[in-house]
Amino acid sequence: MTAPVGRLSFSLNHHRSQLHESHHATQSHNSALTGVAILTTGTALLLPAAAHAQNASVPCTESALVTAVTSANAAGGGTVTLTPGCTYTLTASHGDDGVNGPAGLPIITTPITLDGNANTIARSAAAPAFRIAQVGPTGGTTLKAITFSGGQAVTTGHNDGGGILNFGAVTLTGSQLSGNTAGGRGGALYSTGTPAATTFTSSTVKNNTANQSAGIASVNGTLTLTSSVVNTNTATVNPGGIYYVAGSASLNTSTVTANTPTNCVSSPSPVPGCIG
């Protein structure tokens, strides 16, 4: 028996509507399942932008660098990413605790990483004398692919650490301290105090000058060098390379050579693995 045309049309339209709703529900179900799959594989897949976010590079100016370090201190620490290949020239001191003499960068009081890419932070030859950085007891700085150069510590009685004066933690990775001067000890770096720790990895300390220990001076702290070089540093008084007293010191596949007048001879505590 033939169905009326109106009833047949309604039946077909109703069937199409059901198919459409079923397809829509399937899509929604699949989307929900996809969301679950993403959630079960981890947050990184849900939020790739956040998971792989990169800090914006600090513009290649003295003021921008100083502002970035100041902001990182205020935030309790952080990473300061430098403009690749930039030389940041410091023309004035931006840190002084009133005791240890001026520093080019603000005094580092929190854990701050300076993340570089063939960068140099240098005191201008025309600027007054100041070391490049001072790290406080609560602070720490990690240098990655950065050179500190041209620092001068000459304040009478507070003239240690031409490049860096460290009371906290300093880590250099693929970095360099060169061309710094101290009127006392530690042309490149002076590290002191029981919380003080200095770690060099694949880094170089060269062409620094001081009255004593033109390279590194570590007093009552921890000093660790791995795959690093300390050479061609010049002091007036032995040793020219590394001065170490108390605390601990270790040289792992590292070399201390061609320092004047000696590499480590006359260091109050023997530097393990250092000859000459």
Side-chain angles (χ1 to χ4, degrees), residues 1-274:
M1 183 175 183
T2 305
V5 174
R7 185 176 298 174
L8 178 61
S9 175
F10 170 79
S11 177
L12 288 172
N13 288 336
H14 180 67
H15 181 64
R16 287 172 184 155
S17 176
Q18 284 182 319
L19 286 174
H20 176 73
E21 288 176 3
S22 176
H23 178 67
H24 180 72
T26 301
Q27 284 185 319
S28 299
H29 182 65
N30 287 342
S31 295
L33 287 176
T34 302
V36 171
I38 290 172
L39 283 169
T40 58
T41 56
T43 304
L45 289 179
L46 275 174
L47 301 171
H52 300 288
Q54 297 293 321
N55 293 323
S57 295
V58 175
C60 190
T61 67
E62 176 180 11
S63 60
L65 178 60
V66 169
T67 297
V69 173
T70 299
S71 296
N73 269 332
T79 297
V80 174
T81 303
L82 307 184
T83 297
C86 170
T87 294
Y88 293 86
T89 302
L90 304 176
T91 61
S93 163
H94 300 279
D96 194 333
D97 60 5
V99 176
N100 295 291
L105 296 176
I107 295 174
I108 296 171
T109 57
T110 62
I112 296 176
T113 295
L114 297 179
D115 191 3
N117 183 347
N119 291 105
T120 297
I121 299 176
R123 184 188 67 86
S124 167
F130 52 77
R131 63 177 58 87
I132 302 299
Q134 177 179 326
V135 180
T138 61
T141 188
T142 297
L143 307 184
K144 295 182 178 180
I146 297 172
T147 295
F148 275 8
S149 182
Q152 292 185 348
V154 296
T155 301
T156 302
H158 304 287
N159 52 5
D160 296 324
I164 302 173
L165 177 61
N166 177 42
F167 299 104
V170 170
T171 300
L172 277 76
T173 301
S175 294
Q176 182 171 288
L177 302 177
S178 63
N180 302 286
T181 299
R185 298 190 184 108
L189 178 143
Y190 184 90
S191 181
T192 184
T194 51
T198 306
T199 303
F200 292 83
T201 302
S202 301
S203 295
T204 302
V205 178
K206 69 176 185 179
N207 298 336
N208 301 282
T209 59
N211 181 59
Q212 188 175 31
S213 60
I216 301 168
S218 179
V219 178
N220 296 316
T222 301
L223 174 64
T224 306
L225 281 78
T226 302
S227 302
S228 295
V229 175
V230 179
N231 67 1
T232 61
N233 300 285
T234 303
T236 303
V237 179
N238 289 342
I242 298 177
Y243 176 102
Y244 153 61
V245 57
S248 66
S250 61
L251 273 61
N252 306 307
T253 60
S254 296
T255 58
V256 184
T257 60
N259 298 284
T260 303
T262 66
N263 293 318
C264 301
V265 168
S266 297
S267 172
S269 299
V271 180
C274 182

